[in-house]
Amino acid sequence: MRKRFVQILMAVFLISIIPFISSNKVSAATSNEIATYAKKFSGTPYKFGGTTTSGFDCSGYIRYVFNNFNISLPRTSADQFKVGTAVSKDKLQPGDLVFFANTYKKGISHTGIYLGNDEFISAKSRGVMKANLKTDPYWAPKYAGAKRVLNTKEAVESVKETPAEQMSDVFKDLSTKHPAFEAIIALNKSGVITGYGDSTFKPESSITRGQAAAMINRELKLEASTGVTFKDVAPNHPFSADIAAMNEAGILQGYGTGEFGINDKLTLAHLAAIVDRAFDLQGQIDGKSQVASNHNVVPTSHWASEAIRALKTLDQTQVFQKPGFSVGKEATRAEFAAAVFTAVSHK
């Protein structure tokens, strides 16, 4: 009887530790297992801010792969470079993280997973794919170093998420949670909008008529038949050709005083009207089953009423979804990006 009791006790003990055994097995992955798992996602499309198999950005892909092995990494490429143990290029092993600098901003800006034989895999603009670390004409010159995180799990997991780690890889003052995040990143990638030399975007700063003319024309690429004739726009001004084109097309015209108002701030009403003229927002809402009502937005008698209604109907962000519309408020750089992104998304 006692022997039978001991056997039952041992069985219960073994069953109770099985979860711990299997859990440890996952976190004790080999470098080859990580590399093999990473290759399973070849062809997954690229998506700004993407962290799932429906679409990855570069650091989101890295985190997804390593999370499968219970290894937690920071959100951005720059912060991922701060953890683990440095590895020289000639000592790389499959599963090591490889880093690249100056791809779209200064400093560390891209992460990949080394596969062996000089190859690495990462989420690039064309999706998750492999490249050669030594011979690829784009990536090889931008190689910045490597880190091994397999044997430094505790150090990696001790890096806690902070608000700074939720900031964009592109602009250090742009939160990934900002309602215009996708719009800003997409337009920056296409060259429509740019940030500042200190890697900021200043999403809540106001936008001028001159800036708006230049940025809209980067998308439209219109050319004027004559140069600028406004008293406040010098012929050699960086925006002069864009301003001339916008004025001639009737999208953003000057004042009766002979000035363009190059440094005047745009209001939200002006923003809606200008984007409507440039991309025909009203024409794009034809046939929409759900059209934003002017009720509780702006009076139907307001000169920009229809343009505002179209912008709110088509909005591809969360920027213009809240009730009401402050027509006289100065438009921000983020609001401008959201409006243009919405317009070009429906073209």
Side-chain angles (χ1 to χ4, degrees):
M1 183 67 181
R2 179 173 177 176
K3 183 177 181 182
R4 178 63 175 167
F5 175 75
V6 171
Q7 288 175 334
I8 293 173
L9 198 62
M10 287 296 293
V12 171
F13 173 74
L14 288 173
I15 291 172
S16 67
I17 67 169
I18 286 176
F20 296 98
I21 294 173
S22 59
S23 173
N24 288 338
K25 216 173 195 180
V26 173
S27 62
T30 67
S31 58
N32 284 323
E33 285 175 332
I34 290 178
T36 299
Y37 185 71
K39 288 187 284 187
K40 289 184 178 181
F41 304 101
S42 293
T44 301
Y46 184 89
K47 181 180 180 182
F48 290 113
T51 58
T52 70
T53 52
S54 63
F56 292 114
D57 65 14
C58 74
S59 55
Y61 167 63
I62 300 300
R63 290 191 81 195
Y64 187 92
V65 170
F66 279 84
N67 279 345
N68 183 68
F69 301 98
N70 284 352
I71 299 176
S72 177
L73 293 172
R75 177 64 179 92
T76 69
S77 298
D79 285 327
Q80 289 172 358
F81 189 62
K82 297 175 183 177
V83 301
T85 304
V87 182
S88 62
K89 201 171 187 178
D90 61 336
K91 301 292 184 181
L92 283 171
Q93 295 179 3
D96 287 340
L97 295 179
V98 287
F99 295 89
F100 303 84
N102 307 322
T103 58
Y104 57 84
K105 67 172 184 176
K106 292 181 179 179
I108 300 299
S109 52
H110 190 81
T111 319
I113 298 172
Y114 187 67
L115 301 177
N117 298 320
D118 296 329
E119 285 190 324
F120 74 96
I121 190 168
S122 65
K124 307 175 181 69
S125 59
R126 289 181 292 163
V128 176
M129 55 193 303
K130 295 188 291 185
N132 192 288
L133 201 61
K134 293 183 178 179
T135 62
D136 188 279
Y138 180 81
W139 295 106
K142 298 181 185 298
Y143 178 76
K147 290 294 185 75
R148 184 165 298 156
V149 298
L150 265 181
N151 300 322
T152 54
K153 184 170 180 288
E154 287 185 9
V156 174
E157 290 185 335
S158 69
V159 179
K160 296 180 179 179
E161 293 288 328
T162 66
E165 289 168 357
Q166 293 298 321
M167 304 308 279
S168 161
D169 279 350
V170 184
F171 301 114
K172 64 184 181 183
D173 62 341
L174 178 65
S175 168
T176 59
K177 302 298 183 183
H178 194 291
F181 171 76
E182 183 181 0
I184 293 168
I185 296 299
L187 292 180
N188 175 253
K189 186 173 179 63
S190 65
V192 172
I193 59 177
T194 58
Y196 295 88
D198 60 354
S199 296
T200 62
F201 182 76
K202 302 180 182 177
E204 307 313 318
S205 293
S206 57
I207 186 167
T208 66
R209 284 167 53 87
Q211 292 168 340
M215 289 189 275
I216 288 176
N217 202 38
R218 288 172 193 156
E219 176 65 30
L220 297 180
K221 297 178 174 60
L222 301 180
E223 294 184 5
S225 58
T226 59
V228 292
T229 57
F230 297 112
K231 292 185 289 187
D232 60 338
V233 183
N236 62 349
H237 191 283
F239 300 159
S240 62
D242 299 309
I243 289 171
M246 292 295 96
N247 179 67
E248 189 172 291
I251 294 171
L252 185 50
Q253 296 180 301
Y255 303 140
T257 61
E259 297 182 331
F260 181 75
I262 188 170
N263 294 317
D264 290 354
K265 304 295 194 299
L266 282 186
T267 66
L268 279 178
H270 287 125
L271 171 61
I274 292 165
V275 173
D276 180 32
R277 291 181 206 135
F279 303 101
D280 188 21
L281 296 181
Q282 294 181 58
Q284 292 184 34
I285 67 171
D286 289 346
K288 294 284 183 185
S289 58
Q290 293 182 333
V291 179
S293 170
N294 282 334
H295 182 61
N296 291 332
V297 178
V298 292
T300 55
S301 59
H302 190 279
W303 62 271
S305 172
E306 292 303 314
I308 293 168
R309 181 176 69 118
L311 178 58
K312 288 179 73 69
T313 298
L314 298 170
D315 185 21
Q316 293 294 293
T317 68
Q318 295 299 309
V319 173
F320 304 110
Q321 295 303 304
K322 54 190 177 185
F325 195 88
S326 303
V327 293
K329 172 185 172 292
E330 288 185 357
T332 66
R333 285 166 56 81
E335 289 165 337
F336 176 86
V340 174
F341 177 74
T342 289
V344 299
S345 295
H346 285 276
K347 283 172 60 179

